[in-house]
Amino acid sequence: MAGVDIIHPVILSRGLGTQPWPMSVPPYPKQLLSLVGGQSLLQETARWVADPQRFAPPLVICNEEHRFIISEQLRAADIVVRAVMLEPAGRNTAPAACLAALTLVQEADDPLILLLPSDHAISNAEAFCAAVEQAAAAGSAGRAFVAFGINPERVESVYGYIRRSKVLDTAAQAYSIAEFVDKPDPGRAQEYIESGEYSWNSGMFLFRARLYLEELERLRPDILRACREALAASKRDADFIEFDKTAFAACPAESIDRAVMEHTSRAVVVPVGTGWR
């Protein structure tokens, strides 16, 4: 991408297979199923970020029991990854992003991270890449945390919402964030849609690795400390990074939304329409 650093995708493939039941079961959670096309959701997600002119090879974070299935699916799709990182236990997205940031800053000075769940579907890959370019420009210019806000298509009470505030970057269509709202009831969701001020919170984020680590140091040093210890005692081979179980077990479970995004003064949102679900 002209004028913007190459982006380092971090794909979260940590679902346990609890829903949608009965299709999704523990041995094959939904991100490993072909629900919207010929490939699994994980394979489709990896293909969004396969352009080497835009993206570095991704890091994939998963739990230990799915390591070989995930590796085989990636090989079958001809996806080359930087590494598959194994979480000893589920601790939500803030620690997963921390492990990725700590790993990447060992190899690059201050990489741009694109944090992606692997159980989403996007029908317009080019619109997605355009939104990523907008987010990268906004994140690089202001050292900001960028949330991808989906333009809502209907009243929906199972998603979180983001309320936009003032425009910060007209070219990148980036807005400051007034508030995050967690899964409103249908009546309130209707009000949000009618106001035109809200986006669905996609759970996709872009940020500088060192900025994230700095904010964790300020806001959640307990998460940062546990992740550093888990990384320091990790085991690596050609295919996997296995984090220390004892150190990581001490890490609190928290989402990146609650740990950082709801408290930092550097959060912005880029509204996008990508055929997301």
Side-chain angles (χ1 to χ4, degrees):
M1 293 180 292
V4 177
D5 292 350
I6 197 162
I7 294 169
H8 297 259
V10 175
I11 300 175
L12 305 178
S13 182
R14 301 155 51 255
L16 299 178
T18 57
Q19 57 181 306
W21 185 87
M23 292 182 294
S24 180
V25 292
Y28 276 90
K30 65 180 175 178
Q31 71 269 23
L32 302 182
L33 302 178
S34 302
L35 299 180
V36 295
Q39 295 194 313
S40 72
L41 294 177
L42 170 65
Q43 290 169 319
E44 292 288 347
T45 303
R47 288 202 174 279
W48 302 343
V49 292
D51 182 354
Q53 300 302 313
R54 289 169 160 155
F55 303 105
L59 282 174
V60 177
I61 302 180
C62 68
N63 57 50
E64 293 181 345
E65 67 182 285
H66 296 140
R67 65 163 86 181
F68 298 115
I69 300 171
I70 285 172
S71 294
E72 179 54 36
Q73 285 201 359
L74 294 169
R75 279 194 293 268
D78 293 323
I79 301 296
V80 176
V81 300
R82 181 184 297 268
V84 176
M85 304 169 68
L86 306 178
E87 276 190 331
R91 289 294 184 266
N92 215 318
T93 53
C98 182
L99 290 172
L102 289 169
T103 300
L104 287 170
V105 295
Q106 293 178 340
E107 304 171 20
D109 180 50
D110 192 13
L112 271 173
I113 291 176
L114 176 62
L115 192 68
L116 295 172
S118 61
D119 58 352
H120 295 183
I122 289 178
S123 61
N124 190 335
E126 280 307 309
F128 167 76
C129 287
V132 170
E133 291 193 20
Q134 289 176 299
S140 295
R143 293 193 80 232
F145 296 96
V146 184
F148 291 82
I150 305 301
N151 297 327
E153 302 169 351
R154 62 188 180 277
V155 173
E156 186 58 78
S157 59
V158 299
Y159 299 147
Y161 284 71
I162 299 171
R163 181 162 68 89
R164 301 185 298 276
S165 185
K166 63 181 179 179
V167 178
L168 296 178
D169 187 328
T170 303
Q173 298 180 5
Y175 296 77
S176 61
I177 294 176
E179 66 175 331
F180 287 84
V181 182
D182 186 35
K183 299 180 181 180
D185 60 66
R188 193 171 294 275
Q190 178 70 51
E191 294 175 6
Y192 293 167
I193 299 296
E194 292 174 353
S195 75
E197 297 177 351
Y198 290 80
S199 302
W200 288 336
N201 183 1
S202 70
M204 300 185 291
F205 302 97
L206 184 142
F207 48 85
R208 289 278 181 190
R210 292 193 185 279
L211 176 61
Y212 182 63
L213 297 175
E214 288 168 9
E215 288 294 77
L216 278 181
E217 182 74 73
R218 183 175 69 88
L219 297 166
R220 292 303 304 264
D222 51 345
I223 292 176
L224 181 59
R225 181 171 55 253
C227 288
R228 278 178 170 155
E229 292 173 0
L231 178 61
S234 64
K235 300 176 183 178
R236 305 187 184 206
D237 59 28
D239 299 310
F240 303 107
I241 299 174
E242 187 172 358
F243 298 104
D244 183 75
K245 293 182 179 180
T246 301
F248 197 66
C251 185
E254 190 62 276
S255 70
I256 190 172
D257 308 60
R258 294 189 183 278
V260 173
M261 295 296 292
E262 294 182 6
H263 306 287
T264 183
S265 61
R266 295 180 178 272
V268 304
V269 59
V270 171
V272 294
T274 61
W276 174 89
R277 56 194 173 101

